[in-house]
């Protein structure tokens, strides 16, 4: 079973969670931003470099306008020292492939030593027989393997530059060695984005996950940014889409309401310290501030952050990235614990 997050709660973290939930609900009622606590969770980017060129990923395609680089360990530790009293969940990924950063194991260990839950998403190409013990010695609490096809044709149509064979070998090596060493971590989630070229494989994926021994299987809907990619990649079965296609355009299925809990419960920090409001701001177009040389708490309560929250509370549709947001929309089609 996936690790129970309740064991990560302290009195400070519980009190902070209550303050965040309370202030968000009050903000919705009053129509103006009130923030009493600090984020519960964070996405921290180890790097925005990637080894693949996935058609809907600006990092892999090289279309990011912000600089490419690697998060420095000292910057990460300084941030963890500040936020770990109140925050207890870290996604150690944003754009890019996290394991490109060679200091990732040290970062994982540092956060876990502060009793912080760490989740990482990988394409699996940096896990192999030669380094599997290094990965396991400082394993995240949860490791998400993103594998979107069970043969080379379906896999490489989206995961351009990679191979199913390499991802499969990495996954099997990790699970086999974890089980040999009788380790509890990482909890391994197999994530499969359902697309036109792979939707016929869903039953096969279930069998594959049981055979390999993953802990959880998640079928997920696909995010797209253009009508051309919608036509090319969205599955034929409409119930596996998060979009409505009409008149050479696309729109997300959920109604865009004038509130967003993500702006209270979480924050995203890029490898070079830029604070952005959420994971849909891949290019840091709505940069709030920079934590390098500035305390995160000062950015969190800054006028710029307050103004952004007010904009969402007043007219969320006016924020372009919010029109493709899944807040409040179920994006996981099925979740199966093995």
């Amino acid at each position: 079973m996936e690790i129970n997050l309740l064991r990560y709660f302290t009195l400070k973290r519980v009190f902070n969670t209550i303050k965040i939930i309370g202030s968000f609900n009050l903000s919705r009622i009053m129509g103006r931003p009130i923030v009493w606590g600090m984020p519960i969770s964070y996405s921290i980017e180890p790097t925005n470099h990637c080894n693949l060129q996935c058609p809907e990923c600006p990092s892999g395609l090289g279309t990011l306008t912000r600089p490419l680089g690697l998060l420095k360990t000292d910057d990460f530790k300084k941030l963890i020292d500040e936020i770990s009293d109140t925050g207890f969940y870290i996604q150690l990924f944003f754009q890019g492939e996290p394991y490109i950063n060679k200091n990732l194991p040290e970062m994982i260990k540092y956060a876990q030593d502060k009793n912080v839950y760490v989740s990482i998403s990988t394409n699996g190409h940096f896990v192999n027989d030669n380094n599997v013990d290094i990965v396991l010695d400082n394993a995240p609490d949860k490791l998400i393997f993103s594998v979107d096809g069970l043969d080379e044709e379906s896999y490489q149509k989206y995961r351009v530059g990679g191979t199913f064979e390499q991802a499969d070998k990495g996954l099997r090596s990790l699970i086999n060695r974890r089980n040999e060493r009788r380790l509890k971590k990482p909890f391994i989630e197999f994530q499969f984005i359902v697309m036109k070229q792979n939707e016929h494989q869903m039953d096969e994926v279930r069998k594959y996950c049981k055979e390999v021994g993953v802990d959880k299987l998640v079928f997920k809907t696909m995010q797209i940014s253009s009508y051309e990619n919608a036509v090319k990649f969205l599955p034929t079965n409409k119930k596996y889409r998060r979009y409505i296609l009409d008149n050479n355009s696309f729109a997300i299925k959920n109604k865009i309401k004038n509130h967003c809990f993500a702006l209270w419960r979480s924050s995203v920090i890029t490898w070079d310290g830029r604070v952005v409001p959420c994971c849909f701001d891949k290019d840091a177009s709505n940069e709030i501030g920079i934590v390098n040389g500035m305390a995160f708490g000062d950015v969190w309560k800054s006028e710029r952050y307050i103004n952004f929250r007010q904009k969402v509370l007043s007219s969320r549709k006016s924020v372009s990235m919010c029109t493709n947001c899944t807040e409040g929309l179920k994006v996981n089609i099925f979740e199966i614990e093995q």
Side-chain angles (χ1 to χ4, degrees):
M1 290 182 63
E2 193 164 356
I3 295 172
N4 187 351
L5 289 176
L6 290 176
R7 65 182 288 264
Y8 291 88
F9 275 98
T10 61
L11 285 175
K12 261 190 178 180
R13 290 173 178 175
V14 169
F15 185 51
N16 178 70
T17 302
I18 292 169
K19 289 197 294 183
I20 282 295
I21 294 172
S23 62
F24 168 68
N25 286 323
L26 188 58
S27 298
R28 287 180 61 184
I29 294 168
M30 299 186 68
R32 62 181 181 85
I34 299 163
V35 184
W36 287 332
M38 292 281 284
I40 299 164
S41 65
Y42 297 80
S43 290
I44 303 175
E45 182 180 68
T47 182
N48 54 354
H49 285 283
C50 193
N51 56 308
L52 303 185
Q53 298 90 45
C54 303
E56 272 295 339
C57 175
S59 182
L61 286 176
T63 58
L64 287 176
T65 61
R66 59 188 175 93
L68 300 178
L70 301 167
L71 174 63
K72 294 178 181 177
T73 307
D74 288 344
D75 289 339
F76 176 78
K77 289 180 177 180
K78 183 180 177 183
L79 183 60
I80 293 297
D81 288 343
E82 181 184 357
I83 67 178
S84 57
D85 272 358
T86 49
F88 60 87
Y89 190 105
I90 287 178
Q91 295 183 122
L92 205 43
F93 62 92
F94 178 30
Q95 297 301 289
E97 165 54 46
Y99 278 99
I100 287 176
N101 192 323
K102 303 299 183 185
N103 296 319
L104 192 68
E106 185 180 353
M107 295 178 194
I108 294 168
K109 184 178 186 305
Y110 193 82
Q112 289 175 335
D113 285 345
K114 299 279 188 176
N115 196 34
V116 173
Y117 183 97
V118 178
S119 173
I120 289 176
S121 180
T122 180
N123 58 47
H125 284 66
F126 289 86
V127 181
N128 53 57
D129 289 338
N130 295 327
N131 70 357
V132 66
D133 280 309
I134 296 173
V135 173
L136 288 169
D137 286 343
N138 291 294
D141 296 275
K142 178 163 76 172
L143 186 58
I144 302 167
F145 262 74
S146 296
V147 182
D148 309 315
L150 292 187
D151 57 51
E152 296 302 347
E153 183 180 1
S154 61
Y155 182 89
Q156 294 182 35
K157 189 165 186 178
Y158 186 74
R159 297 281 171 179
V160 179
T163 66
F164 171 69
E165 180 184 14
Q166 196 168 350
D168 174 58
K169 282 182 177 178
L171 178 61
R172 290 177 187 270
S173 178
L174 186 73
I175 292 175
N176 291 340
R177 189 64 179 137
R178 182 196 66 175
N179 294 346
E180 284 173 6
R181 293 178 58 179
R182 298 183 180 181
L183 300 174
K184 293 182 179 180
K185 293 187 293 189
F187 179 91
I188 297 173
E189 178 180 305
F190 186 93
Q191 183 175 284
F192 191 89
I193 299 176
V194 180
M195 296 179 252
K196 186 177 292 185
Q197 73 272 13
N198 65 22
E199 61 185 309
H200 64 284
Q201 296 180 340
M202 293 175 72
D203 286 338
E204 190 180 345
V205 171
R206 292 184 178 92
K207 295 174 185 175
Y208 170 84
C209 287
K210 283 186 178 179
E211 179 215 332
V212 174
V214 303
D215 300 303
K216 185 177 182 179
L217 163 63
V218 173
F219 289 111
K220 194 171 183 179
T221 58
M222 183 184 185
Q223 177 186 343
I224 51 100
S225 59
S226 70
Y227 182 75
E228 291 73 23
N229 275 349
V231 172
K232 185 176 181 180
F233 290 110
L234 289 186
T236 305
N237 193 328
K238 293 181 181 179
K239 73 178 183 179
Y240 300 150
R241 299 178 182 179
R242 65 176 75 168
Y243 301 95
I244 298 169
L245 270 60
D246 184 45
N247 215 16
N248 292 330
S249 64
F250 66 96
I252 202 153
K253 287 180 179 178
N254 64 322
K255 185 178 179 182
I256 301 174
K257 300 178 180 178
N258 289 335
H259 58 76
C260 180
F261 189 34
L263 296 179
W264 274 256
R265 63 173 166 79
S266 65
S267 193
V268 179
I269 302 164
T270 66
W271 70 269
D272 54 352
R274 303 173 192 224
V275 179
V276 297
C278 84
C279 62
F280 279 86
D281 193 3
K282 304 177 192 305
D283 215 12
S285 301
N286 299 281
E287 179 187 315
I288 304 295
I290 299 178
V291 292
N292 293 348
M294 184 177 184
F296 174 81
D298 291 338
V299 178
W300 180 247
K301 298 288 181 72
S302 68
E303 185 178 355
R304 185 177 289 186
Y305 227 139
I306 290 169
N307 290 341
F308 188 86
R309 294 186 186 103
Q310 182 64 68
K311 193 173 183 180
V312 168
L313 289 170
S314 301
S315 177
R316 191 161 159 232
K317 285 183 178 180
S318 66
V319 183
S320 59
M321 70 175 180
C322 292
T323 60
N324 199 8
C325 178
T326 55
E327 182 79 6
L329 177 69
K330 183 177 174 61
V331 297
N332 291 347
I333 303 163
F334 298 112
E335 298 182 22
I336 307 167
E337 290 209 16
Q338 306 294 340

